[in-house]
Amino acid sequence: MTEKEALKKLKELTRLYQNVNGNDVKHLLHQISTSAGQEKAGKLLEKIESDGVLAKVAFVGSHTTQGLDNITRYEASKRNLNIQLFTGGFNQWNLLMLKPGSDLEYFDPDVTVCSLDESIIYQHFGDRGWSTETLSYALDEALAEIKKVLTVYTNRMATTIVLHTIPMPLYDWKAVTNYREKQQVSMLWRQFNQNLLNLHTTLESVIVLDFEVLTQDVRETRDPRMKHYASMSYTANVWQVFSKEIASIVASIKGLTQKVLALDLDHTLWGGIIGDDGVHGVQLSKAFPGNQFFAFQQVIQRLQAQGILLTIVSKNDWDNVKDIFTSHDDMVLSEKDFVQISCNWRPKSESLANMASRLNLGRDSIVFVDDNPFERELVSSQLPEVTVIPLSQDPSLYIHDLLIDGYFNTMTSTDEDHKRLEKYKQIAKREELKEDSASIEEYLLQLEMKLDLFEVLSAHIPRITQLSQRTNQFNMTTNRLTESEVAVISNSESSSIYGFRLKDKFGDNGIVGYVHVKKEEHRWLIENFVMSCRVFQRNVESEVLRLILENAKSQGVSEVIGNYQPSQKNKLVSDFYQNNGFEFVDYGENSTCWVYLFKKEIEKVEWIQLTASEEGMSV
């Protein structure tokens, strides 16, 4: 499908006046590559009712940011996000962020994008004229202003703020004729940007993107004519690369970061067909053309080291393939790097669906990479939830194609990420045990599970935050917490967060969930109950709930309230409270409310043992 045809299809969807499946739209958007086409698609998407995950994004700036909103809507829709947008007026960034009750505050964005240009620096020149000393003074003043505005805004609003470093205009640098002074000017400007990049150390909700790195492949970052005509400091090409990062950040906050990279083999991990060319006849080496595949594998290995799960989904005979992992000197990846290998002649969509089911992962957590357009099209049509990378014909572009959209980007990484491969290999072993057991009860007893429930301490905050932001299926309210919010709740006398860890005969699953409880004298309110899909279907959640209720009872609590707020992905837990002795109370706004009155005790789950916590107070 051409870009023109994809835009035509999108236009047809605007005339349907009905809710459209976000995953169906996603397939069309991948056919659109030009910045003009993407902005046009963004305008069309505004008229389409999508069932994607809702998110609010605000744009403010010191210059005209026209076009950034539409192209961000385009990128967000590729991630199955349905975003509402707010765009502030020209140079209204500080007024909107400082003023209580502003339209920006009323909009209450999940993410606030603040695009600044050199004008916020040059405004401090006054009538001093250009000199190195004046520039140094102006850079300090601009940095102080930015810090002040962001501090006020972050103290008032629970939002993630995205900035970018500010590039020095080329002709302001050219206008300095002395090369010694040019170096000093560059050094001062870089120090200013370095200070911006360091803002996250004092303002945790601030993310600063590196303009210089992100735009290095952009042909034109500035258009002098549009600068003078419309006060547009950056071109649409810049918005094209920034919008990808903004969409990644929003996706990460909304729990839509991809976790699995499913790879084809022939013409993808190496050049040629191993069944025809043999293990040592394929293109894979440190010299051209094999070095393109060697470099691609190195990048994949880096992703795996950061917690991305790798799988093989290939139409091949494993007997023809397996030797390359041990006998080819330039094979970067090894068999143990993959959590699952599907090397057979079944349809790849079937292999991907089986893999997702076996690992208990959503299909929308998978990114599929295959050089064959036919296979890509088949997977897109059969499994629209899977993200299919449109791999270039030129293998030197494979790395660009894999990384450019930032599908695996997260806000932070934790020790759990680096252990993810081992965790999911353990899941595969458990599945084997389940298949060999006579009954589900026998399987659960053989797992020899040990549960540890503890009050969250500072060392647990990154993992608890990650669970809050990335867990979708067992997330009773999908109210996401930031690190600073987890820290505040953990130190509160009126609220607690209880984390829980699970071990079994195959290893330590790590911290797999948490319960956020608001405490009143005779009543507790479960603000949220979150659990990783790694430990589904073992009744861990019932045992944790039982322990929470026992603790509440021991402290004189007479009722415990729980809420369920439905989302697209948490239907699995809609009857969680009902199945565990809670009584229905009322329908709230987009939620149901349940109460436990201690009329009947919840039975202990016999196959789960309790352990004394080594990290915090046991409940």
Side-chain angles (χ1 to χ4, degrees), residues 440-452:
I440 189 67
E441 289 77 14
E442 179 184 300
Y443 159 69
L444 291 169
L445 283 167
Q446 287 187 86
L447 279 180
E448 301 170 6
M449 288 181 276
K450 294 177 180 176
L451 175 69
D452 181 18

PDB file of all heavy atoms in Angstrom, residues 440-452:
ATOM      1  N   ILE A 440      -4.495 -29.306  38.123  1.00  0.00           N
ATOM      2  CA  ILE A 440      -3.965 -27.978  38.396  1.00  0.00           C
ATOM      3  C   ILE A 440      -3.520 -27.871  39.851  1.00  0.00           C
ATOM      4  O   ILE A 440      -2.520 -27.212  40.174  1.00  0.00           O
ATOM      5  CB  ILE A 440      -5.022 -26.888  38.053  1.00  0.00           C
ATOM      6  CG1 ILE A 440      -4.384 -25.493  38.119  1.00  0.00           C
ATOM      7  CG2 ILE A 440      -6.231 -26.987  38.948  1.00  0.00           C
ATOM      8  CD1 ILE A 440      -3.366 -25.226  37.084  1.00  0.00           C
ATOM      9  N   GLU A 441      -4.231 -28.570  40.765  1.00  0.00           N
ATOM     10  CA  GLU A 441      -3.862 -28.546  42.179  1.00  0.00           C
ATOM     11  C   GLU A 441      -2.494 -29.208  42.386  1.00  0.00           C
ATOM     12  O   GLU A 441      -1.653 -28.716  43.135  1.00  0.00           O
ATOM     13  CB  GLU A 441      -4.919 -29.260  43.030  1.00  0.00           C
ATOM     14  CG  GLU A 441      -6.236 -28.503  43.166  1.00  0.00           C
ATOM     15  CD  GLU A 441      -7.106 -28.607  41.931  1.00  0.00           C
ATOM     16  OE1 GLU A 441      -6.816 -29.482  41.078  1.00  0.00           O
ATOM     17  OE2 GLU A 441      -8.066 -27.830  41.810  1.00  0.00           O
ATOM     18  N   GLU A 442      -2.287 -30.338  41.688  1.00  0.00           N
ATOM     19  CA  GLU A 442      -0.996 -31.027  41.802  1.00  0.00           C
ATOM     20  C   GLU A 442       0.127 -30.128  41.286  1.00  0.00           C
ATOM     21  O   GLU A 442       1.201 -30.027  41.892  1.00  0.00           O
ATOM     22  CB  GLU A 442      -1.024 -32.324  40.991  1.00  0.00           C
ATOM     23  CG  GLU A 442       0.289 -33.093  41.039  1.00  0.00           C
ATOM     24  CD  GLU A 442       0.261 -34.321  40.143  1.00  0.00           C
ATOM     25  OE1 GLU A 442      -0.593 -35.187  40.381  1.00  0.00           O
ATOM     26  OE2 GLU A 442       1.087 -34.387  39.208  1.00  0.00           O
ATOM     27  N   TYR A 443      -0.141 -29.444  40.189  1.00  0.00           N
ATOM     28  CA  TYR A 443       0.853 -28.524  39.616  1.00  0.00           C
ATOM     29  C   TYR A 443       1.207 -27.416  40.608  1.00  0.00           C
ATOM     30  O   TYR A 443       2.381 -27.127  40.857  1.00  0.00           O
ATOM     31  CB  TYR A 443       0.304 -27.937  38.315  1.00  0.00           C
ATOM     32  CG  TYR A 443       0.943 -26.646  37.885  1.00  0.00           C
ATOM     33  CD1 TYR A 443       2.267 -26.614  37.442  1.00  0.00           C
ATOM     34  CD2 TYR A 443       0.225 -25.456  37.909  1.00  0.00           C
ATOM     35  CE1 TYR A 443       2.852 -25.420  37.050  1.00  0.00           C
ATOM     36  CE2 TYR A 443       0.796 -24.269  37.514  1.00  0.00           C
ATOM     37  CZ  TYR A 443       2.107 -24.253  37.087  1.00  0.00           C
ATOM     38  OH  TYR A 443       2.682 -23.072  36.705  1.00  0.00           O
ATOM     39  N   LEU A 444       0.182 -26.808  41.212  1.00  0.00           N
ATOM     40  CA  LEU A 444       0.420 -25.686  42.127  1.00  0.00           C
ATOM     41  C   LEU A 444       1.167 -26.138  43.379  1.00  0.00           C
ATOM     42  O   LEU A 444       2.036 -25.430  43.886  1.00  0.00           O
ATOM     43  CB  LEU A 444      -0.916 -25.032  42.501  1.00  0.00           C
ATOM     44  CG  LEU A 444      -1.607 -24.290  41.339  1.00  0.00           C
ATOM     45  CD1 LEU A 444      -3.035 -23.912  41.703  1.00  0.00           C
ATOM     46  CD2 LEU A 444      -0.814 -23.062  40.928  1.00  0.00           C
ATOM     47  N   LEU A 445       0.850 -27.341  43.884  1.00  0.00           N
ATOM     48  CA  LEU A 445       1.576 -27.858  45.049  1.00  0.00           C
ATOM     49  C   LEU A 445       3.039 -28.138  44.718  1.00  0.00           C
ATOM     50  O   LEU A 445       3.932 -27.856  45.513  1.00  0.00           O
ATOM     51  CB  LEU A 445       0.888 -29.128  45.550  1.00  0.00           C
ATOM     52  CG  LEU A 445      -0.400 -28.921  46.350  1.00  0.00           C
ATOM     53  CD1 LEU A 445      -1.152 -30.239  46.524  1.00  0.00           C
ATOM     54  CD2 LEU A 445      -0.091 -28.302  47.722  1.00  0.00           C
ATOM     55  N   GLN A 446       3.272 -28.635  43.505  1.00  0.00           N
ATOM     56  CA  GLN A 446       4.651 -28.955  43.106  1.00  0.00           C
ATOM     57  C   GLN A 446       5.504 -27.699  42.906  1.00  0.00           C
ATOM     58  O   GLN A 446       6.719 -27.764  42.938  1.00  0.00           O
ATOM     59  CB  GLN A 446       4.634 -29.759  41.806  1.00  0.00           C
ATOM     60  CG  GLN A 446       4.159 -31.193  41.972  1.00  0.00           C
ATOM     61  CD  GLN A 446       4.329 -31.975  40.683  1.00  0.00           C
ATOM     62  OE1 GLN A 446       5.385 -32.524  40.412  1.00  0.00           O
ATOM     63  NE2 GLN A 446       3.273 -32.007  39.887  1.00  0.00           N
ATOM     64  N   LEU A 447       4.858 -26.563  42.700  1.00  0.00           N
ATOM     65  CA  LEU A 447       5.629 -25.323  42.507  1.00  0.00           C
ATOM     66  C   LEU A 447       6.355 -24.876  43.778  1.00  0.00           C
ATOM     67  O   LEU A 447       7.325 -24.129  43.717  1.00  0.00           O
ATOM     68  CB  LEU A 447       4.699 -24.189  42.030  1.00  0.00           C
ATOM     69  CG  LEU A 447       4.359 -24.172  40.549  1.00  0.00           C
ATOM     70  CD1 LEU A 447       3.437 -22.992  40.243  1.00  0.00           C
ATOM     71  CD2 LEU A 447       5.611 -24.060  39.688  1.00  0.00           C
ATOM     72  N   GLU A 448       5.852 -25.303  44.955  1.00  0.00           N
ATOM     73  CA  GLU A 448       6.495 -24.961  46.243  1.00  0.00           C
ATOM     74  C   GLU A 448       6.657 -23.452  46.396  1.00  0.00           C
ATOM     75  O   GLU A 448       7.740 -22.930  46.619  1.00  0.00           O
ATOM     76  CB  GLU A 448       7.850 -25.669  46.370  1.00  0.00           C
ATOM     77  CG  GLU A 448       7.744 -27.182  46.295  1.00  0.00           C
ATOM     78  CD  GLU A 448       9.106 -27.845  46.185  1.00  0.00           C
ATOM     79  OE1 GLU A 448      10.120 -27.127  46.285  1.00  0.00           O
ATOM     80  OE2 GLU A 448       9.154 -29.063  45.976  1.00  0.00           O
ATOM     81  N   MET A 449       5.547 -22.728  46.262  1.00  0.00           N
ATOM     82  CA  MET A 449       5.574 -21.257  46.275  1.00  0.00           C
ATOM     83  C   MET A 449       5.742 -20.700  47.679  1.00  0.00           C
ATOM     84  O   MET A 449       5.176 -21.223  48.641  1.00  0.00           O
ATOM     85  CB  MET A 449       4.279 -20.714  45.661  1.00  0.00           C
ATOM     86  CG  MET A 449       4.199 -20.909  44.168  1.00  0.00           C
ATOM     87  SD  MET A 449       2.678 -20.241  43.493  1.00  0.00           S
ATOM     88  CE  MET A 449       1.557 -21.598  43.779  1.00  0.00           C
ATOM     89  N   LYS A 450       6.516 -19.631  47.773  1.00  0.00           N
ATOM     90  CA  LYS A 450       6.722 -18.925  49.034  1.00  0.00           C
ATOM     91  C   LYS A 450       6.455 -17.441  48.809  1.00  0.00           C
ATOM     92  O   LYS A 450       7.093 -16.806  47.955  1.00  0.00           O
ATOM     93  CB  LYS A 450       8.152 -19.136  49.534  1.00  0.00           C
ATOM     94  CG  LYS A 450       8.433 -20.587  49.904  1.00  0.00           C
ATOM     95  CD  LYS A 450       9.861 -20.796  50.333  1.00  0.00           C
ATOM     96  CE  LYS A 450      10.095 -22.258  50.683  1.00  0.00           C
ATOM     97  NZ  LYS A 450      11.505 -22.528  51.015  1.00  0.00           N
ATOM     98  N   LEU A 451       5.514 -16.908  49.585  1.00  0.00           N
ATOM     99  CA  LEU A 451       5.077 -15.513  49.417  1.00  0.00           C
ATOM    100  C   LEU A 451       5.639 -14.647  50.536  1.00  0.00           C
ATOM    101  O   LEU A 451       5.628 -15.033  51.703  1.00  0.00           O
ATOM    102  CB  LEU A 451       3.545 -15.459  49.448  1.00  0.00           C
ATOM    103  CG  LEU A 451       2.894 -14.076  49.409  1.00  0.00           C
ATOM    104  CD1 LEU A 451       3.109 -13.421  48.054  1.00  0.00           C
ATOM    105  CD2 LEU A 451       1.397 -14.183  49.714  1.00  0.00           C
ATOM    106  N   ASP A 452       6.090 -13.466  50.170  1.00  0.00           N
ATOM    107  CA  ASP A 452       6.608 -12.500  51.138  1.00  0.00           C
ATOM    108  C   ASP A 452       5.879 -11.181  50.921  1.00  0.00           C
ATOM    109  O   ASP A 452       5.950 -10.602  49.829  1.00  0.00           O
ATOM    110  CB  ASP A 452       8.119 -12.328  50.905  1.00  0.00           C
ATOM    111  CG  ASP A 452       8.735 -11.342  51.887  1.00  0.00           C
ATOM    112  OD1 ASP A 452       8.100 -11.066  52.915  1.00  0.00           O
ATOM    113  OD2 ASP A 452       9.851 -10.875  51.620  1.00  0.00           O
TER     114      ASP A 452
END
